[in-house]
Amino acid sequence: MTTKKSSVAKEKLLAAASDVFGEKGFRDATVAEICRRAGANIAAVNYHFGNKEALYRETWRQSFAESILAHPQDGGIPPNAPAEQRLRGQITTLMRRVADPENREFVISQMELINPTGLLEEVMKSALIPLREKTLAVVRELLGPEVDEQHVMHCEICILSMCLHPMLIQRIRQRTKKAGAPLLIHDLDAFADHIVLFALAGVQAVRDQRCKKTGSPS
Amino acid sequence: MTTKKSSVAKEKLLAAASDVFGEKGFRDATVAEICRRAGANIAAVNYHFGNKEALYRETWRQSFAESILAHPQDGGIPPNAPAEQRLRGQITTLMRRVADPENREFVISQMELINPTGLLEEVMKSALIPLREKTLAVVRELLGPEVDEQHVMHCEICILSMCLHPMLIQRIRQRTKKAGAPLLIHDLDAFADHIVLFALAGVQAVRDQRCKKTGSPS
Amino acid sequence: MTTKKSSVAKEKLLAAASDVFGEKGFRDATVAEICRRAGANIAAVNYHFGNKEALYRETWRQSFAESILAHPQDGGIPPNAPAEQRLRGQITTLMRRVADPENREFVISQMELINPTGLLEEVMKSALIPLREKTLAVVRELLGPEVDEQHVMHCEICILSMCLHPMLIQRIRQRTKKAGAPLLIHDLDAFADHIVLFALAGVQAVRDQRCKKTGSPS
Amino acid sequence: MTTKKSSVAKEKLLAAASDVFGEKGFRDATVAEICRRAGANIAAVNYHFGNKEALYRETWRQSFAESILAHPQDGGIPPNAPAEQRLRGQITTLMRRVADPENREFVISQMELINPTGLLEEVMKSALIPLREKTLAVVRELLGPEVDEQHVMHCEICILSMCLHPMLIQRIRQRTKKAGAPLLIHDLDAFADHIVLFALAGVQAVRDQRCKKTGSPS
DNA sequence: AATGAATGAGCCTTCATTCAT
DNA sequence: GATGAATGAAGGCTCATTCAT
């Protein structure tokens, strides 16, 4: 098919752009370096993508799509499994996805979070909200009907934070080759287990507290 | 008084620099804009601070110092209070500090984390490590002697993540004036309580699990 | 041909740079003026040469190479000719080379001598030492085995000085268009003959004096 | 007397200006550095001298005046001494003056020669021409009435060149602290003797040649 | 289809000079 | 008389983008 013409050069540019954007962010990355790493001409970015901004969007779109494909959302846990198990599946999947060295989209989205270019606003929202909805649903189930939506959101953001923030720090330490510094996370699965344990205990505590307040048995 | 002369212009520059660096990061911020916001000449930064990098360091240093003064480290909890209470004090203090609208140092350090300039490396390390040591100590105490250092670190990073990451998202939402979007955190104290609850439950769960494994009673 | 592509614009820049560096020296010359004289964009220097320093080095390198090609080192005197004749050849060649209006390298090297940028240090040393060695060899031969190396160096530097310093003054007078001032040197060949006469007489006098002192016949 | 008020600060500025202008030339020297070295305020130059250019002129004027005082023009040789001896006196004096570490005027004038600012044009001409006239007179006497003015000038410029150019190189080598490089001139008096020998022999050769051509006995 | 030479806007920085004190 | 804070013009350099081939 001719629509999928997209030359190999374009792919190389996207790969190089992932690397450079992931390392330096949108503005610190230069078109010249991306082209150089891709073995392409200085004009290649504008030729293939129109301008730097369009390349940035396309880079994120591709990284995100690849990441989704590589890490099926529920970690292989069937939807009828107990909620605890499904939460474990989601946490483990998320962490593996974020820890994947191929993953550029995580770093890019964190950069976009703290230093927004405004270029990915829409695309990020539409991509991330569905993911969070899944976790919200499981947490809501675990908390039971007595607990209000505010607490659901609090629990969810806490769980998400425990998954993302440590991995961010981890990636940065790896990047800066701090051989001397002891790695925070030696065993990813062990740390994932730790988060699951932490999360389930936390959720349970929230549930207990709410029930106590409302006087109804857990 | 014999303290630094530090003209009013210098202070204005630092204030403007806090804002601009906090909004755009080191590289996206321009000296011209900082000077314009400070009502100063384009050469004022170089006159007062030597160059942009030195201004950046000085901005962080001042923001950090002010923040420390405004938010005493232990939140007024005496050191001989029970560990649970001291943890609560630390979490509450950290969150208030981070939520403080005057606080620029939080955003700057998060930017530095994900997109490092290398300019604050030393100063950040020396400033942040002592803070984390305090939390590590409390967590270590809560976990008891049976639990190894790896778990102490895991718990600490999880607690820290629950404090920082949600606040980061919160700040960004406020900044981009998403009036439509429901704020994640309406009541800071309530959310702090939530984290404390979550954290204590998580730590307890880790302790229980370790004790079970080693066969010793909790 | 497979040689450097070296666009015409690059050549124009080098030509303009020769002129401007030769007139004003490294620091007083501005990239803007060089580009303007070359009919090029303000960014052309950085595009073609990287920066001002590299352009300066390249300018000197090219000027020196052209000058060497245009003025064969021994002035066509065969190496087995009498020493007097070889010295005459060297002096004449040097003066013609220095007097050549196309020669920029002479002025640049004199500027570098008195107000060094440190940019040409190595390349000048490696370029000039071999030239001086030739003259030292002839002078050593003329002085005979009785005369020590110190006198050889003294004679050589005196001869060199007589060649260079008057030409320097001459060039400057021409540059500043002192139509009124009588030119120092009307006839280059006559002045070269004068230096040869002066030099040979001086060398002979040194030789005689040394022989007298040591008591050995000349 | 109140006219000689010229504060000590002004003297310090002139001393610092001598050093800095002598090291870096007019443009590379900065007012800030001169003031710093003089222990003066940044505005001191403009306050005491009006602007940088006026300071430059005043610096040269003072250096020249001091140099003239320190090195009486004829080296103590009485005007009725034989011409050879007077030439020796002039050469020796000139070299001692130029070699004087306190002498800044020599380097400044050489810089002005090759990279003119146009600021000292008049003052240099009026200062240097009388000096050269003295030498021209002695050379004219030595060459005898048969020799035309062109040869007088040639001899004079050759003698001057032998005095100045080697000393220039010497000063530069000393400045750049080339401890490794063997100094060209170890013994100033020996080198001055060498130049005198060289010069007298050269002048005699020129005289002989002219007389031979015109057929008249020397 | 693809290149690379060329552009111009904008950035950080330097520095002689000014001005209020 | 003397200071030092402040200025504005100008310099070198970067970089996304364009254009002729």
Side-chain angles (χ1 to χ4, degrees), chain B residues 172-183:
Chain B
I172 287 154
R173 289 205 183 168
Q174 285 172 338
R175 188 165 67 191
T176 53
K177 303 277 182 192
K178 293 284 170 186
L183 273 189

Side-chain angles (χ1 to χ4, degrees), chain A residues 11-151:
Chain A
E11 294 300 326
K12 275 188 180 173
L13 279 171
L14 276 170
S18 288
D19 292 344
V20 181
F21 283 138
E23 286 170 18
K24 313 194 170 180
F26 176 71
R27 176 141 185 224
D28 284 8
T30 69
V31 171
E33 180 173 7
I34 291 170
C35 290
R36 192 167 43 72
R37 285 210 207 175
N41 186 272
I42 180 73
V45 161
N46 286 56
Y47 178 70
H48 286 290
F49 298 92
N51 57 23
K52 187 184 178 185
E53 296 190 355
L55 171 62
Y56 186 59
R57 284 199 202 88
E58 190 57 30
T59 299
W60 196 89
R61 200 189 317 273
Q62 185 198 266
S63 292
F64 188 82
E66 282 179 2
S67 176
I68 284 287
L69 283 181
H71 302 278
Q73 207 156 341
D74 290 330
I77 308 298
N80 55 353
E84 285 85 355
Q85 209 168 332
R86 274 179 289 140
L87 183 63
R88 174 180 304 273
Q90 287 183 12
I91 289 174
T92 310
T93 302
L94 178 57
M95 297 202 63
R96 289 221 181 94
R97 184 176 165 188
V98 164
D100 185 350
E102 297 298 309
N103 180 319
R104 301 283 180 270
E105 139 242 5
F106 171 56
V107 175
I108 291 179
S109 61
Q110 291 293 314
M111 285 180 173
E112 200 60 33
L113 203 60
I114 184 126
N115 196 1
T117 62
L119 301 173
L120 307 184
E121 213 151 285
E122 291 313 307
V123 73
M124 275 185 67
K125 204 172 293 177
S126 65
L128 298 183
I129 287 178
L131 292 182
R132 300 190 60 172
E133 279 303 333
K134 287 250 172 172
T135 307
L136 280 169
V138 179
V139 170
R140 197 178 291 119
E141 191 179 335
L142 283 168
L143 283 173
E146 307 283 344
V147 179
D148 60 27
E149 197 58 16
Q150 185 74 7
H151 281 81

Side-chain angles (χ1 to χ4, degrees), chain C residues 112-178:
Chain C
E112 199 61 32
L113 202 60
I114 185 128
N115 197 1
T117 63
L119 300 173
L120 307 183
E121 210 151 288
E122 290 313 307
V123 73
M124 274 186 66
K125 205 171 291 177
S126 65
L128 299 183
I129 287 178
L131 294 182
R132 299 191 61 172
E133 280 301 334
K134 286 249 171 172
T135 307
L136 281 170
V138 178
V139 170
R140 197 176 291 119
E141 190 179 336
L142 284 169
L143 283 172
E146 306 284 343
V147 179
D148 61 28
E149 198 58 17
Q150 184 74 7
H151 282 81
V152 175
M153 284 171 59
H154 282 177
C155 286
E156 190 271 341
I157 189 67
C158 282
I159 294 170
L160 191 68
S161 297
M162 290 190 293
C163 294
L164 297 187
H165 197 254
M167 294 313 293
L168 181 61
I169 293 173
Q170 177 84 342
R171 286 188 81 108
I172 287 154
R173 291 206 181 166
Q174 283 172 342
R175 189 164 70 191
T176 53
K177 303 277 182 190
K178 293 285 170 186

